[in-house]
Amino acid sequence: MVYVAECPKNSLSAWEQDLGERYSDHAHSTKCLYNLSAVMALVSILCLCLHTESERNPVPQEGDVRLFGGSVFEGRVEIYHEGYWGTVCDDGWGMAEAQVVCRQLHFPGAKSVVIGKNYGKASGPIWLDDLTCKGTENHLFTCAFTSWGTTDCSHKEDVGVICATTGTNMTISDSTHSLDHSISLSDELGQIFDSGNGCDFLILIQSATGNREEDGTPEMVGTTICTHKIILSQFPLFNASEGITSITVPISQSCQPHFTSFIRYIYTRKVDVTFSSAQCLHWMAYTFGVKQLMEDTGRLFSKILPEDPLFNTQVSLYEYAEETGDLVLQENCIQYLAWNYENLTMSPAWTHLSVNLLGSLLTRSDLVVPDEYFLLQTVESWITEKGNTTSLETQLDLLNRIRFPMIPAETLYDLEYNSSLYSTHKNMYREKILEAFQFNVLLFSNLISNPKFNREDDHFQPRFYTTKPWSTVIIPNQTSSHFQYGGHRGYYQTPTKSLSTPVHNSLIFNRNKVNWEASVFKNQYECSNRGMRCDSLPMARLITYNHLTDQSNITFRNRLLLMCQGKYICHVQDFKANVAYVNGTQVLTYPCPDDQYTYRFVVRPEYV
């Protein structure tokens, strides 16, 4: 079942009735080009037929899906099974799986997969894991998966999706047909705004020039826009209430040229955004509570984040996102900083990071660092640089976010002598070092018998470590080999690297090795020579020939990091059935000119 609401045929919503009454009063007192019936027709079309349970309150059926904790078109994926809503693990998720969810919800398709975002507490079961969809299925539960409720995930790995909201309406069955002529409504409302006919609410925009008048007051320049209360009343922050005929909006001079486009968007839901106008439109949307425009312009900032190697832009945008409460923009900025943390620590912006920003970075499992000890050293360096401006309580809070069990045991042994803050926070260091040693020398069965041990605690999970033995790099076009295909001989390049890692970070597995082969396939010749079919190119593969049946409590959540032009990490992708497709339906998180990638393979063992 899919939840679909219809516009009521015999009654108007309270909002529509209110608009109708207000327009009726206005029509009696003024001469307008549009009569009441015409406006009410427009209002009826404006009725947004969104997916909602409140209209019909249907009983969920087996296999239903919903998006929870976000908006109509975004949220955590949940599926209904045996009378309970449960979540879906993000392992192996790609656009094919997202397409199935969004089409089942009667959206035209999917925009993106959301990994690691907090959509609120999930207390139900994790119903699906290791899901594999072709993208053409009508229901999510018809995709391949192990079995209901079989998972090695925690709720921190619940997957989310963002569905596309434009496209052709779908129908529930052959007996139901949706007619949607609203495509012309946007243009018609735009014409009403452009003409100014019947406008009844003035917006005076004022900007300071930086100069002074003769009497010493700031010199101001401004313009006036005439709008319609009936349209602006959707957004209460315009204060377009009864008895109010105008407002004054102070705005920077650089943003003033974009305000008319912003108001026109209120009418049409359309606007052309450039990098120069993005922050202005974002600020206006924040100021007047136009949430969708604020979120969508916030996503555009991902295009410019890689352009500043000094990291001043990324840090200032994060602070701006905090100020405006834009969670999408915050996540965009902090994700880029987490993936490029090592470069951040060497930039001029490093010592100017706020406590909140550094603390947020330290909580992330997708933090890309050489190893956990490197992370501890950078935090100690930041605290030392700040001196007395950082309280002891704040220092402890930051240091407690270091995952001490992930620090190699030999390094832990010397930490008392090598740490610059050990003497200041001796008790905390001793407690964390003891916890780390216990993790390194005890078997998993002994660990879980301790009531204080929580297997889902982030401190016992690795980040993305890039030093040996956990990582290797492949630079394309550096390895040549012979090929023979169809009677022809020649050269092809199949970059391949081998690496050997312990089964787990714990010291007791130090001599128990897993051998891996990392490869990047760039053409079908290479795939055919390995007896493979590559659905998309280039394709990265990370495989092991070891049999790990004796280690059933350990799983590998490996990742592929794409570094653009050797400068910054532009994308992180998990492996699905040991492969990761770089192009195809996968969209890069941050742009990379000319697709000049370096491929970094990261092995990540975890207790389950």
Side-chain angles (χ1 to χ4, degrees):
M1 175 182 288
V2 176
Y3 302 114
V4 177
E6 294 178 349
C7 293
K9 294 180 174 60
N10 299 319
S11 63
L12 294 172
S13 67
W15 180 73
E16 292 175 288
Q17 291 175 3
D18 177 60
L19 293 182
E21 291 167 2
R22 289 165 59 185
Y23 184 86
S24 179
D25 294 340
H26 181 71
H28 287 304
S29 59
T30 61
K31 294 180 180 180
C32 300
L33 296 180
Y34 303 95
N35 59 29
L36 177 59
S37 61
V39 171
M40 293 311 295
L42 286 175
V43 171
S44 296
I45 299 174
L46 278 168
C47 174
L48 303 178
C49 300
L50 302 177
H51 305 35
T52 174
E53 294 181 51
S54 62
E55 291 287 330
R56 296 183 177 181
N57 195 28
V59 177
Q61 303 295 315
E62 179 72 14
D64 282 355
V65 295
R66 69 181 182 184
L67 301 181
F68 185 88
S71 64
V72 173
F73 55 87
E74 177 187 359
R76 179 174 62 236
V77 177
E78 297 190 353
I79 187 166
Y80 193 79
H81 177 61
E82 295 184 346
Y84 294 95
W85 286 103
T87 62
V88 182
C89 181
D90 62 20
D91 284 358
W93 262 69
M95 288 299 291
E97 289 74 18
Q99 293 284 6
V100 175
V101 170
C102 292
R103 285 192 297 101
Q104 185 174 347
L105 290 171
H106 281 220
F107 290 103
K111 238 184 207 181
S112 63
V113 177
V114 181
I115 304 294
K117 183 171 180 179
N118 183 7
Y119 287 109
K121 184 178 180 181
S123 56
I126 300 174
W127 279 134
L128 301 180
D129 190 7
D130 295 325
L131 195 72
T132 302
C133 298
K134 297 176 182 177
T136 57
E137 295 87 345
N138 292 324
H139 298 87
L140 189 64
F141 67 85
T142 61
C143 298
F145 60 96
T146 308
S147 61
W148 290 99
T150 301
T151 181
D152 56 7
C153 297
S154 68
H155 278 302
K156 294 179 181 178
E157 297 165 85
D158 290 340
V159 73
V161 299
I162 301 174
C163 295
T165 56
T166 58
T168 306
N169 279 352
M170 298 182 177
T171 57
I172 302 174
S173 66
D174 290 338
S175 62
T176 303
H177 302 275
S178 298
L179 299 179
D180 185 356
H181 301 150
S182 62
I183 189 170
S184 63
L185 178 62
S186 177
D187 292 335
E188 291 166 1
L189 290 175
Q191 291 169 12
I192 293 175
F193 171 71
D194 294 338
S195 70
N197 289 322
C199 64
D200 56 358
F201 190 75
L202 296 177
I203 301 178
L204 175 61
I205 309 157
Q206 288 193 333
S207 304
T209 65
N211 299 322
R212 294 277 177 178
E213 300 284 2
E214 292 182 0
D215 60 359
T217 59
E219 182 185 60
M220 307 293 288
V221 294
T223 186
T224 301
I225 302 175
C226 193
T227 64
H228 301 79
K229 282 187 180 182
I230 196 170
I231 300 296
L232 298 186
S233 61
Q234 303 168 68
F235 301 100
L237 294 178
F238 278 103
N239 196 27
S241 55
E242 188 173 351
I244 305 296
T245 58
S246 66
I247 59 170
T248 299
V249 179
I251 193 172
S252 67
Q253 199 167 0
S254 60
C255 286
Q256 189 176 120
H258 306 296
F259 198 83
T260 300
S261 298
F262 168 66
I263 296 298
R264 199 176 196 278
Y265 168 85
I266 303 296
Y267 284 71
T268 66
R269 297 301 190 271
K270 295 179 182 178
V271 65
D272 293 326
V273 184
T274 63
F275 289 141
S276 60
S277 68
Q279 189 160 348
C280 289
L281 290 170
H282 186 278
W283 177 85
M284 296 169 195
Y286 158 71
T287 301
F288 292 102
V290 187
K291 186 176 180 181
Q292 186 173 349
L293 179 61
M294 184 177 79
E295 290 181 351
D296 286 346
T297 50
R299 290 188 182 94
L300 292 178
F301 288 121
S302 64
K303 307 293 184 184
I304 63 173
L305 287 177
E307 294 181 5
D308 183 5
L310 303 179
F311 286 88
N312 293 316
T313 299
Q314 297 90 333
V315 172
S316 63
L317 274 178
Y318 176 81
E319 293 170 350
Y320 169 75
E322 268 196 322
E323 177 189 337
T324 58
D326 188 336
L327 299 180
V328 173
L329 181 54
Q330 282 185 49
E331 172 61 21
N332 231 334
C333 294
I334 200 168
Q335 180 176 259
Y336 182 86
L337 294 171
W339 291 356
N340 295 279
Y341 181 85
E342 190 172 0
N343 288 341
L344 171 65
T345 62
M346 297 182 288
S347 74
W350 168 246
T351 55
H352 301 293
L353 292 190
S354 67
V355 171
N356 286 342
L357 177 51
L358 181 56
S360 297
L361 286 168
L362 295 177
T363 62
R364 296 184 70 100
S365 291
D366 64 346
L367 198 67
V368 179
V369 288
D371 55 34
E372 197 71 21
Y373 181 55
F374 170 87
L375 186 60
L376 173 61
Q377 288 178 306
T378 61
V379 174
E380 289 181 336
S381 168
W382 185 90
I383 291 173
T384 303
E385 183 75 22
K386 290 291 185 179
N388 295 330
T389 60
T390 306
S391 68
L392 293 177
E393 183 180 2
T394 299
Q395 293 177 24
L396 272 175
D397 179 63
L398 294 173
L399 291 169
N400 271 312
R401 303 186 190 206
I402 299 298
R403 302 180 181 182
F404 283 84
M406 295 295 107
I407 298 176
E410 57 272 21
T411 306
L412 287 169
Y413 184 77
D414 294 326
L415 203 55
E416 178 180 355
Y417 311 103
N418 295 333
S419 168
S420 60
L421 295 176
Y422 184 90
S423 58
T424 307
H425 302 288
K426 186 179 296 184
N427 291 336
M428 187 278 295
Y429 275 93
R430 286 178 173 176
E431 178 184 337
K432 293 297 182 181
I433 290 172
L434 175 61
E435 178 187 64
F437 274 132
Q438 290 174 338
F439 179 82
N440 272 277
V441 300
L442 295 178
L443 291 171
F444 184 67
S445 56
N446 299 123
L447 288 172
I448 60 176
S449 65
N450 187 335
K452 293 183 179 181
F453 178 77
N454 179 6
R455 72 176 73 190
E456 295 188 5
D457 191 327
D458 288 337
H459 281 73
F460 305 113
Q461 307 297 341
R463 306 184 200 262
F464 297 170
Y465 300 133
T466 59
T467 53
K468 293 180 179 180
W470 303 110
S471 176
T472 190
V473 173
I474 288 181
I475 303 175
N477 306 321
Q478 287 193 353
T479 307
S480 296
S481 304
H482 293 285
F483 78 82
Q484 183 167 348
Y485 187 81
H488 301 283
R489 290 182 59 83
Y491 291 93
Y492 66 86
Q493 295 177 331
T494 309
T496 300
K497 290 281 189 73
S498 298
L499 68 158
S500 179
T501 69
V503 172
H504 192 267
N505 305 66
S506 175
L507 182 64
I508 59 177
F509 294 106
N510 194 47
R511 295 185 179 180
N512 194 350
K513 300 294 184 181
V514 181
N515 297 314
W516 302 87
E517 180 184 89
S519 306
V520 176
F521 298 88
K522 303 193 303 302
N523 57 61
Q524 291 295 345
Y525 290 125
E526 302 172 20
C527 299
S528 299
N529 281 333
R530 298 289 187 94
M532 300 171 54
R533 183 176 68 87
C534 298
D535 294 332
S536 176
L537 294 168
M539 183 190 81
R541 184 175 71 160
L542 181 61
I543 59 171
T544 178
Y545 298 107
N546 296 69
H547 297 289
L548 302 175
T549 53
D550 295 336
Q551 308 299 337
S552 58
N553 58 341
I554 295 175
T555 190
F556 290 91
R557 305 190 194 282
N558 302 331
R559 293 294 187 269
L560 175 68
L561 315 184
L562 296 183
M563 176 163 279
C564 180
Q565 300 176 343
K567 298 177 181 177
Y568 58 90
I569 294 174
C570 61
H571 192 66
V572 173
Q573 194 169 336
D574 64 349
F575 289 89
K576 192 171 186 178
N578 300 322
V579 301
Y581 293 103
V582 176
N583 292 321
T585 57
Q586 193 70 43
V587 179
L588 293 183
T589 309
Y590 306 102
C592 181
D594 304 322
D595 296 340
Q596 297 181 26
Y597 309 128
T598 298
Y599 299 80
R600 179 176 286 279
F601 297 77
V602 177
V603 176
R604 300 178 66 246
E606 297 180 10
Y607 279 137
V608 293

